[in-house]
Amino acid sequence: MLSVQMEQRVNLKFLVKLRKTFTEAYAMLKEVYGNEVFEWFKRLKEGRETTEDDPRPGRPTTQKRTKLLILEDQIFAAEEIARRNILAL
């Protein structure tokens, strides 16, 4: 399921492809979503195709950190199993 932000961006992309002006697109989207439309209209009008957020430098999100911890734990577990098997030989 799309987040509200992604849904807005996909709908805005659709309106840009229909060659709606900012005023027309803004009025339609504001009626449904509120104000957060101007920046994405500009990006899509300039030719941007993706509606995904740009990667941001810095600390990873909690979800990404969790995935990294799980991956690290899997690597640690695999290394521990390998170490125990070597010791058992």
Side-chain angles (χ1 to χ4, degrees):
M1 180 173 225
L2 290 177
S3 70
V4 174
Q5 280 184 322
M6 290 303 295
E7 184 180 317
Q8 289 174 2
R9 293 172 192 173
V10 169
N11 289 331
L12 183 56
K13 184 175 179 179
F14 174 75
L15 294 171
V16 167
K17 288 184 178 275
L18 287 177
R19 298 178 192 261
K20 297 293 182 187
T21 65
F22 173 74
T23 304
E24 293 169 324
Y26 182 73
M28 289 180 207
L29 293 172
K30 186 175 179 185
E31 186 175 334
V32 177
Y33 300 110
N35 287 332
E36 196 180 304
V37 178
F38 178 75
E39 184 62 35
W40 276 97
F41 182 86
K42 180 180 168 192
R43 291 177 187 182
L44 294 164
K45 186 77 171 175
E46 291 171 349
R48 182 184 177 117
E49 286 295 319
T50 180
T51 56
E52 299 289 326
D53 285 326
D54 291 332
R56 296 181 190 176
R59 185 174 170 184
T61 63
T62 303
Q63 183 180 12
K64 288 181 183 176
R65 280 186 282 146
T66 303
K67 286 180 182 179
L68 288 173
L69 288 172
I70 291 169
L71 178 61
E72 286 173 6
D73 190 50
Q74 288 173 343
I75 292 169
F76 175 76
E79 289 172 348
E80 182 65 20
I81 291 167
R83 187 182 69 74
R84 288 182 184 180
N85 285 337
I86 290 172
L87 293 176
L89 293 177

